[in-house]
Amino acid sequence: MKYKMAIINLNKKQFEKEIGKLDEKMQDRIAMFGTPIEKINNEEIQVEIFPNRPDLLSYQGFKRSFLTFLGKKTGLKKYKINKPKKDYKVIIDSSVKNVRPYTACAIVKSLKLNDEKIKELIEIQEKLHITIGRKRKKIAIGIYPLEKIKLPIIFKALEPDKIKFILLEMDREMSGLQILQRHPAGRDYAHLLAGKAKFPIFIDANKNILSMPPIINSQLTGKITEKTKDVFIECSGFDFEILKKCLNIIITSLADMGGKIYQMELKYKNIKITPDLTPEKAKISLENTNKLLGLNLDEKQLKQLIEKMGYDYNKGGVKIPAWRIDILHEVDLIEDVAIAYGYENFIPEIPDISTIGQENSKETIKRKIAEILSGLKMLEVSNYHLTNKKDEFTKMGISKKQEKDFIEVEESKTDYTLLRKYLTPYLLKNLSENIDSEYPQSIFEIGKVFKLQKEEINERENLAVAITPGNFTEIKQRLEYFLKMINVKIKIKEPEEFPLHFIDGRVAEIILGESDLMSKQMKVVGGDGRRKEKPNSETLNKRIGFVGEIHPKILKNWKIKMPVAIFEINLEEIFEKLG
Amino acid sequence: MEKIIESLSPNERKILPHLEEKKISEICKKSNLDQTSVLRALEYLQNKKIVNLSFKKKKIIEIGVNGALYKKKGLPERRLLHLLNEKRILKLQEAQKESRLSNDEFKAAIGALKKKAMIELKNQRIILNANKEEISKKILEESFIEVLPIEHDSLSPEQLHALKSLQNRKDIVRTKEEKIINIEVTELGKKAINYRIKEKDSIEQITPEILKKESQWKSKKFRRYDIVSSVPAINGGKRHFVNQSMDYARKIWTDMGFKEMTGNMIVSSFWNFDALFTAQDHPVREMQDTFFLDKKATLPDKKIVKAVKDAHEKGTTGSKGWQYEWDDEEAKRLVMRTHTTCLSSQTLAKLKEENLPAKFFAIGKNFRNETVDWSHGFEFHQSEGIVVDENADFRHLLGYLKQFFKKMGFEKIRFRPGFFSYTEPSVEVDVWHPEKKVWLELGGAGMFRPEVTIPLLGKHIPILAWGMGPDRIITDYYGIKDLRELYKNNITQLRKIKFWMK
């Protein structure tokens, strides 16, 4: 359920000056706003931002929403947007269509930047990249000093060898391909441009390259310093709507820092103007809200609550801030009403509905089996479902050529790379890791095993029992006792073929059935008085496993110095029979 | 006194008359018992205050395996000396060959003789320096070997010197620590020794023979046992402690009227993600986070696939959806389930309206592509439940949560806003840990989004859902710090670990 967390760091001094004292009550408010505190010390607090609220990923964005939540300034916050000046244009060349088709741009002026604020700017950019930007795949953001740029700007794609510019924090030119091969950011994000004939660039009217998204800015035209007052901002990617939202998140934060927002004219086939902070309109019904939350609010209360979350409300209509990306449905608004109401203020209630509880029948049978085996002084073990080839095959005496029917997981971060086909290897592993524990040892496991069967995945439940020191007689005694106790009849047969880890002549096939063949002719009447279908003959006489002594060469592979006897059976047939 | 005498075991009785013997070996001989039995009996007698035992440690020098051999054949230096006695001067190589000493032995012999200035080496030759008398005399080490075993404290300075030089060589001598037991018979003990024991009147172990005839036990005394003395431990069989706790969780759910869902661990992305409104570009759907298999599943019937596709692309009634092009190939990718919620989605798709209200739960293992350390693993447990009820609301969700966690043993509980892509509103559940005095994040909850319920049920019916990771509760209950311990399968630990007593 949990995904990668996004954490923002808030300066404690700034917080206390601009929001309020960080006492216990305030900390509680922060958690109840839906931004749990991860860490707090004398300098800073770290809060977690859930993925649905990228607009909270900067101090400015957090402050704006949190203050309304505290009831200080409720309702939709309005920003002045200036119309584009004459040359505030970005021309989108059709060549970007196959690489990175869209960009949303803005200019923010009159910023008073210092070290702190520059750091904040870089941080918001990075947080957005990692979260909604999906590591720059979906959105790449660039912020540039306007004074170094001659407008208008062109967004186009060029062959990599035609792209040459000095990268941020570097002193010499690199070409498009060199960037991907040599620059650290280039290597990190090379996969996003891999296989493209042309790479996208932003280039100004002086033919200076501003950047090569989604990789890196230029040192000349793409470096923000304390002297920078006005900035050009672009978000490039594949989905114009999300780019616009992302742009809104950035420019409103900059405006909160004191900047003035200017629109730009984007020359696509048709002209588009960004940014656009016009609130989206949606409906929220008092009835739905009360029904979903189990409350009895009146409209005035609803208005109060929803405005505490930064919306404007008027007669069932809601204006949604243009920087919110998470409002897809009325329920999203209703959740915000619940947050404003305070989760701590709801009175929990259990409704009076009657349902019958029921354990799954397989689980009942599994528990019974475990009880029977525990009665035989056996210990239940519990191993991973994932394993590796060495344990699954090599140590079990199966050569590379004979490895088959196994299922691998893709790109495992550990040596556990495939799903176990049976339980026996793990039981032997357990015994080999316990040679220092007191003998005799007897262990069992009930668990899922996986294999490919005619290209289909076969997932089933197995039971395996191992005893050491133990011989054929002893393991067969246990097998027969346990099956007798659950009233399942079997036949023990000389096998035609058997797994390689057993000793020839001391291994038997376990066949389900025998006396079932007799009862097949009998009429069977179910509890409801109706005739029941008998299990068909296919389930009868079916091999469900093997029992035998483990071959010394396998014991040697596992460094086990005691004789081991094992049985492993497929429980699915037994479930079917008993269930 | 009689009581004490009655309580003596046969072995204690046997050694009682011989307690004045100082050496254990003597007691063994006289009582005809082995050393272990004597020692144990002595300990029991001490418990009964018949003797006082005091222990002293003694260092004994014994002869080693090589030492024993050399005692018979002569030390290597002696053998070399014999050879030199005949030849006086010998090439090194020849000397080794003729002396038939191994490399190590030869080196040791040369070293030892050089140290005693009995030989010198010149131009790869050994020249004998010692005279006849010196040769015929036993060297220190030889005499030392002959007196072994000997107590370390009683060694003379020469013997100490010999010991030092021999200790550097392979297994000629060994040092052993021996416990010396000093037995002091107490006043009570002295009385006991003088007390006449009527052996045949007391019964030891009750046997079927004794029970056969009444006369065998009637009017006889049962020898009193030392009932406080420790007995050897035995081990029983039991379920794995994790599974014990899983059964406990299962009981809580069924007590609350929930029906169990089970299913495969390998599922399609469709059930694990798409049906739960997790967008196809969500990071959890990358190999980085989730185990995918290089295999495709078949999708369920077209109607439901279409409904899920619509929910993603343009939303359902009143929703905007994620607004992207939904790809059914992506939905077919098989994964190791990342949560048990994939069982809920499959159950809901089969649910019929006439069976409402309904409650379901699941317990099981889930997977994520993760490295293993003390707090993480690629397999983890999850337990979760859903309530499908036309009239359910958010307060009911909190009510169920409160009761559920109370049954789990957590009285104090707190709800915070949370986020899960398939629930809205969403809740994080914290429980108060009374000993650690902290809030622990233990579960997630919420009401399924209409984009989830409508495709699965055909219309929006409120569904309350919550889940939790039991692993944390198990480690807390057993005081386990490292999650890896849950699957270590250390037999000694499994034998010792307590039952889950809830």
Side-chain angles (χ1 to χ4, degrees):
Chain A
M1 293 250 269
K2 268 257 132 119
Y3 312 124
K4 295 241 157 59
M5 291 196 300
I7 305 279
I8 56 164
N9 302 301
L10 306 174
N11 182 305
K12 197 176 170 189
K13 236 193 226 159
Q14 193 179 13
F15 187 102
E16 298 212 310
K17 200 175 131 203
E18 299 175 12
I19 299 173
K21 196 161 166 31
L22 260 170
D23 50 14
E24 218 163 277
K25 203 178 156 216
M26 181 67 84
Q27 291 179 30
D28 180 64
R29 293 288 80 209
I30 295 172
M32 286 304 167
F33 179 51
T35 50
I37 295 178
E38 274 297 307
K39 221 164 92 186
I40 185 160
N41 60 33
N42 284 332
E43 276 100 55
E44 60 174 19
I45 47 171
Q46 293 187 343
V47 295
E48 183 192 344
I49 305 298
F50 295 140
N52 59 331
R53 293 298 301 270
D55 58 303
L56 302 180
L57 283 171
S58 68
Y59 170 71
Q60 301 297 345
F62 175 82
K63 181 178 126 187
R64 181 194 319 137
S65 291
F66 188 58
L67 280 177
T68 53
F69 172 70
L70 292 179
K72 300 212 168 150
K73 295 170 197 159
T74 63
L76 181 69
K77 183 160 180 180
K78 283 154 195 96
Y79 292 90
K80 183 171 166 31
I81 299 241
N82 299 290
K83 292 265 172 277
K85 288 190 182 169
K86 193 177 99 229
D87 55 352
Y88 283 15
K89 281 181 191 145
V90 179
I91 298 144
I92 291 95
D93 189 84
S94 62
S95 57
V96 294
K97 208 172 165 188
N98 295 321
V99 215
R100 223 171 162 80
Y102 293 105
T103 181
C105 308
I107 283 172
V108 176
K109 296 176 97 171
S110 312
L111 285 167
K112 292 184 189 76
L113 294 178
N114 56 25
D115 259 2
E116 271 299 301
K117 284 184 177 162
I118 292 174
K119 218 180 108 197
E120 212 179 312
L121 254 181
I122 293 171
E123 216 176 274
I124 178 174
Q125 214 175 323
E126 269 323 293
K127 302 276 167 181
L128 289 170
H129 272 155
I130 295 166
T131 54
I132 47 167
R134 302 276 193 264
K135 293 182 190 142
R136 304 195 193 181
K137 189 171 154 196
K138 214 171 162 184
I139 305 168
I141 304 159
I143 304 179
Y144 313 83
L146 193 61
E147 70 265 18
K148 299 271 175 71
I149 298 170
K150 188 167 164 50
L151 296 166
I153 293 163
I154 301 173
F155 183 40
K156 67 174 180 185
L158 274 184
E159 284 82 8
D161 54 337
K162 288 188 189 148
I163 299 171
K164 272 201 176 86
F165 66 104
I166 299 174
L167 312 190
L168 201 59
E169 311 302 342
M170 303 274 279
D171 50 14
R172 55 189 182 85
E173 276 196 346
M174 274 193 180
S175 75
L177 277 180
Q178 283 172 330
I179 295 172
L180 298 197
Q181 286 159 358
R182 296 192 200 152
H183 192 272
R187 283 198 293 262
D188 285 353
Y189 298 102
H191 62 281
L192 298 177
L193 290 179
K196 303 284 181 199
K198 291 178 176 180
F199 294 174
I201 52 165
F202 283 93
I203 187 164
D204 77 352
N206 284 337
K207 299 261 181 313
N208 282 324
I209 293 178
L210 308 186
S211 71
M212 184 173 97
I215 316 279
I216 193 157
N217 282 11
S218 131
Q219 168 77 359
L220 246 57
T221 50
K223 188 179 157 96
I224 304 287
T225 67
E226 285 181 41
K227 286 178 198 143
T228 309
K229 287 201 175 53
D230 306 336
V231 293
F232 161 65
I233 304 155
E234 50 80 14
C235 303
S236 67
F238 301 86
D239 175 347
F240 193 57
E241 291 308 310
I242 191 77
L243 295 175
K244 283 201 304 192
K245 295 263 182 176
C246 182
L247 184 67
N248 290 346
I249 291 173
I250 300 167
I251 56 143
T252 48
S253 290
L254 291 182
D256 286 341
M257 281 160 77
K260 288 182 183 140
I261 304 167
Y262 284 81
Q263 288 180 319
M264 294 188 89
E265 217 179 278
L266 308 180
K267 287 187 109 172
Y268 288 94
K269 249 186 193 163
N270 305 313
I271 288 187
K272 297 175 198 276
I273 307 277
T274 59
D276 179 3
L277 291 180
T278 318
E280 216 174 301
K281 286 181 185 139
K283 293 220 176 320
I284 183 169
S285 111
L286 183 63
E287 192 199 335
N288 288 350
T289 307
N290 280 331
K291 183 171 187 311
L292 183 70
L293 299 181
L295 294 177
N296 200 10
L297 304 170
D298 57 29
E299 195 178 357
K300 205 177 135 200
Q301 287 170 308
L302 177 66
K303 181 180 163 72
Q304 249 169 25
L305 290 171
I306 194 115
E307 292 199 339
K308 264 177 95 175
M309 298 305 282
Y311 305 87
D312 272 351
Y313 175 87
N314 188 24
K315 288 180 190 156
V318 171
K319 282 184 184 168
I320 302 167
W323 50 87
R324 288 289 294 262
I325 66 152
D326 59 319
I327 310 301
L328 305 181
H329 191 278
E330 189 187 26
V331 290
D332 296 299
L333 297 170
I334 296 176
E335 182 186 59
D336 271 357
V337 172
I339 294 172
Y341 185 82
Y343 277 25
E344 71 278 22
N345 297 321
F346 283 89
I347 298 163
E349 181 193 284
I350 279 224
D352 188 16
I353 61 168
S354 110
T355 52
I356 310 291
Q358 194 183 1
E359 181 182 54
N360 182 281
S361 65
K362 286 186 186 182
E363 294 303 322
T364 316
I365 296 167
K366 276 158 67 181
R367 193 175 58 246
K368 293 294 168 195
I369 293 172
E371 275 171 22
I372 294 165
L373 297 173
S374 304
L376 290 173
K377 289 196 182 177
M378 292 190 175
L379 285 174
E380 187 184 27
V381 291
S382 178
N383 288 292
Y384 292 129
H385 294 82
L386 286 160
T387 181
N388 57 58
K389 285 195 175 175
K390 197 173 169 202
D391 290 349
E392 186 79 4
F393 299 119
T394 318
K395 289 192 173 180
M396 297 304 290
I398 296 167
S399 69
K400 280 257 177 296
K401 269 193 207 153
Q402 293 164 308
E403 293 175 2
K404 57 171 190 184
D405 303 336
F406 59 91
I407 301 165
E408 266 178 305
V409 296
E410 294 183 296
E411 294 187 22
S412 171
K413 286 180 188 157
T414 64
D415 333 325
Y416 296 82
T417 54
L418 59 146
L419 291 161
R420 59 185 185 190
K421 279 175 68 185
Y422 56 142
L423 301 170
T424 299
Y426 258 124
L427 291 197
L428 289 172
K429 190 187 178 90
N430 295 147
L431 295 179
S432 90
E433 283 171 355
N434 279 289
I435 48 176
D436 298 332
S437 294
E438 201 183 311
Y439 286 92
Q441 299 173 359
S442 42
I443 56 176
F444 71 97
E445 178 162 15
I446 302 170
K448 286 270 176 86
V449 294
F450 310 81
K451 68 173 181 189
L452 273 184
Q453 220 164 26
K454 294 173 198 147
E455 284 304 297
E456 291 286 310
I457 284 170
N458 176 307
E459 179 178 333
R460 62 192 159 95
E461 206 97 44
N462 267 21
L463 160 72
V465 170
I467 55 173
T468 178
N471 57 32
F472 188 83
T473 305
E474 288 159 330
I475 193 71
K476 195 178 167 193
Q477 284 174 324
R478 282 157 181 80
L479 172 71
E480 288 181 344
Y481 169 76
F482 135 72
L483 288 168
K484 205 187 287 171
M485 287 304 107
I486 58 171
N487 201 21
V488 168
K489 306 263 185 339
I490 53 151
K491 252 187 308 198
I492 295 290
K493 232 183 82 184
E494 177 90 34
E496 274 164 30
E497 46 165 15
F498 57 87
L500 294 170
H501 52 269
F502 287 115
I503 300 172
D504 194 4
R506 297 191 185 183
V507 50
E509 267 184 334
I510 306 163
I511 311 285
L512 195 67
E514 197 191 36
S515 57
D516 272 324
L517 287 170
M518 272 171 49
S519 64
K520 207 182 163 193
Q521 278 112 46
M522 288 162 39
K523 273 185 203 165
V524 178
V525 180
D528 52 3
R530 278 188 302 187
R531 265 179 155 211
K532 263 192 174 173
E533 289 282 321
K534 272 308 290 175
N536 58 32
S537 51
E538 251 175 60
T539 54
L540 299 171
N541 292 316
K542 207 171 200 179
R543 182 174 75 205
I544 56 167
F546 290 95
V547 53
E549 287 181 16
I550 301 292
H551 199 286
K553 73 181 179 216
I554 305 299
L555 297 179
K556 189 177 159 236
N557 292 346
W558 287 102
K559 298 196 170 68
I560 298 172
K561 296 185 175 68
M562 283 275 185
V564 177
I566 277 191
F567 75 78
E568 175 156 359
I569 59 168
N570 175 357
L571 288 179
E572 299 295 338
E573 310 287 345
I574 290 177
F575 291 149
E576 201 175 305
K577 205 171 171 312
L578 299 179
Chain B
M1 178 51 83
E2 202 167 333
K3 246 190 182 177
I4 290 171
I5 298 296
E6 269 176 34
S7 73
L8 296 182
S9 73
N11 284 355
E12 288 168 62
R13 279 167 209 208
K14 277 185 195 158
I15 67 167
L16 195 61
H18 313 297
L19 286 179
E20 305 289 348
E21 298 289 343
K22 286 294 162 210
K23 277 194 170 173
I24 301 289
S25 55
E26 280 305 304
I27 300 180
C28 290
K29 223 186 262 167
K30 297 224 164 130
S31 61
N32 210 7
L33 289 171
D34 62 56
Q35 186 166 321
T36 334
S37 312
V38 169
L39 289 176
R40 194 174 299 149
L42 277 172
E43 234 170 274
Y44 291 145
L45 287 176
Q46 170 160 270
N47 292 346
K48 288 166 191 156
K49 307 222 161 37
I50 286 173
V51 294
N52 275 327
L53 302 177
S54 54
F55 298 93
K56 217 170 69 187
K57 272 188 186 157
K58 202 167 76 173
K59 238 164 124 185
I60 307 272
I61 315 296
E62 283 185 333
I63 198 152
V65 173
N66 286 336
L69 199 72
Y70 295 151
K71 200 173 160 187
K72 230 163 55 190
K73 283 170 56 180
L75 283 166
E77 49 265 49
R78 172 60 60 194
R79 278 143 72 189
L80 184 61
L81 218 47
H82 271 310
L83 188 67
L84 287 167
N85 200 15
E86 290 163 23
K87 307 265 168 88
R88 308 300 301 183
I89 299 176
L90 257 177
K91 276 189 183 164
L92 272 172
Q93 274 178 339
E94 283 170 31
Q96 180 172 0
K97 207 170 152 195
E98 286 182 38
S99 65
R100 291 192 190 156
L101 293 170
S102 75
N103 240 344
D104 285 344
E105 286 177 324
F106 186 67
K107 268 186 212 153
I110 297 268
L113 295 176
K114 249 171 77 182
K115 226 172 173 183
K116 294 183 198 305
M118 295 173 87
I119 57 163
E120 66 184 298
L121 294 185
K122 243 183 204 163
N123 303 330
Q124 297 293 310
R125 280 163 216 272
I126 312 171
I127 303 160
L128 184 67
N129 275 348
N131 58 34
K132 277 234 159 70
E133 198 188 334
E134 283 171 314
I135 293 170
S136 63
K137 224 176 93 187
K138 268 187 188 164
I139 60 173
L140 277 180
E141 285 82 356
E142 286 173 303
S143 329
F144 184 67
I145 291 180
E146 279 164 16
V147 300
L148 294 180
I150 187 168
E151 210 178 312
H152 190 275
D153 286 348
S154 69
L155 292 180
S156 67
E158 287 89 26
Q159 284 174 322
L160 266 174
H161 182 78
L163 170 65
K164 238 186 182 172
S165 79
L166 287 176
Q167 268 171 340
N168 291 331
R169 294 164 64 177
K170 201 180 165 191
D171 207 13
I172 298 181
V173 293
R174 289 173 187 175
T175 323
K176 192 173 85 175
E177 291 228 317
E178 207 169 74
K179 255 202 304 196
I180 304 281
I181 302 172
N182 184 38
I183 308 163
E184 182 206 339
V185 182
T186 62
E187 283 308 308
L188 184 71
K190 282 173 189 155
K191 274 187 211 158
I193 292 173
N194 295 329
Y195 200 89
R196 242 177 53 88
I197 300 169
K198 289 175 265 172
E199 193 75 46
K200 51 185 177 226
D201 287 344
S202 84
I203 293 175
E204 274 303 316
Q205 188 84 36
I206 301 171
T207 60
E209 269 62 49
I210 293 177
L211 296 175
K212 249 183 212 160
K213 278 191 211 150
E214 213 172 292
S215 61
Q216 291 274 9
W217 51 265
K218 212 173 180 185
S219 75
K220 281 195 181 172
K221 293 225 157 122
F222 293 93
R223 200 262 297 169
R224 298 187 77 84
Y225 286 168
D226 180 0
I227 42 102
V228 286
S229 73
S230 54
V231 296
I234 56 163
N235 296 308
K238 59 165 106 78
R239 290 209 77 179
H240 194 274
F241 59 101
V242 171
N243 290 341
Q244 289 181 37
S245 68
M246 293 298 140
D247 270 347
Y248 165 70
R250 194 168 274 122
K251 181 161 185 319
I252 290 181
W253 287 112
T254 50
D255 281 357
M256 287 176 69
F258 287 71
K259 195 172 167 183
E260 185 167 15
M261 312 179 272
T262 56
N264 284 347
M265 287 172 171
I266 301 176
V267 293
S268 66
S269 291
F270 183 83
W271 292 119
N272 196 71
F273 298 125
D274 295 287
L276 295 164
F277 200 51
T278 306
Q280 292 191 324
D281 74 340
H282 193 285
V284 76
R285 303 185 67 158
E286 285 171 16
M287 282 196 236
Q288 194 59 7
D289 282 20
T290 298
F291 287 127
F292 285 91
L293 311 179
D294 187 19
K295 284 260 169 291
K296 292 272 170 92
T298 44
L299 294 180
D301 73 69
K302 277 184 190 148
K303 205 177 131 206
I304 191 164
V305 174
K306 171 89 173 31
V308 167
K309 177 183 162 86
D310 286 350
H312 279 247
E313 290 187 343
K314 47 189 193 251
T316 44
T317 336
S319 170
K320 291 201 301 189
W322 291 122
Q323 302 186 10
Y324 69 102
E325 209 172 302
W326 188 83
D327 180 5
D328 58 351
E329 284 305 310
E330 185 63 35
K332 285 180 190 166
R333 291 177 74 191
L334 283 170
V335 295
M336 297 304 297
R337 70 180 182 209
T338 63
H339 48 190
T340 43
T341 320
C342 66
L343 297 172
S344 299
S345 58
Q346 292 172 76
T347 303
L348 290 172
K350 279 182 281 190
L351 188 63
K352 295 199 178 75
E353 212 178 329
E354 63 258 32
N355 294 329
L356 297 185
K359 299 181 195 160
F360 299 97
F361 79 96
I363 296 176
K365 258 199 177 173
N366 303 294
F367 302 81
R368 64 185 154 214
N369 195 358
E370 178 78 84
T371 51
V372 181
D373 64 26
W374 69 275
S375 63
H376 288 88
F378 52 79
E379 297 189 9
F380 60 100
H381 284 98
Q382 201 187 25
S383 182
E384 72 171 39
I386 52 174
V387 176
V388 193
D389 174 13
E390 199 73 62
N391 300 309
D393 64 39
F394 190 60
R395 288 206 294 132
H396 297 161
L397 174 65
L398 304 185
Y400 279 113
L401 284 169
K402 212 175 155 188
Q403 188 178 342
F404 177 79
F405 282 97
K406 193 175 169 185
K407 273 179 149 305
M408 297 285 307
F410 300 100
E411 289 289 336
K412 205 168 149 192
I413 174 170
R414 165 175 103 162
F415 306 119
R416 282 186 289 113
F419 171 75
F420 308 103
S421 50
Y422 45 91
T423 55
E424 194 81 10
S426 303
V427 185
E428 291 278 356
V429 183
D430 293 341
V431 298
W432 182 252
H433 195 293
E435 280 117 55
K436 292 183 188 153
K437 304 223 179 307
V438 285
W439 288 106
L440 289 180
E441 199 178 301
L442 217 55
M447 297 174 72
F448 276 178
R449 298 186 63 97
E451 294 93 331
V452 176
T453 57
I454 295 173
L456 293 175
L457 296 171
K459 67 176 207 178
H460 180 62
I461 296 170
I463 296 177
L464 313 176
W466 66 95
M468 54 166 289
D471 291 343
R472 198 157 178 182
I473 298 177
I474 300 167
T475 49
D476 192 55
Y477 183 84
Y478 283 107
I480 292 171
K481 299 243 160 53
D482 189 330
L483 265 181
R484 285 170 291 197
E485 297 250 325
L486 298 187
Y487 307 109
K488 214 169 157 197
N489 295 309
N490 178 316
I491 289 181
T492 309
Q493 181 208 21
L494 290 179
R495 280 173 177 154
K496 276 190 198 149
I497 201 157
K498 312 275 186 296
F499 264 72
W500 179 270
M501 293 301 282
K502 283 197 199 173

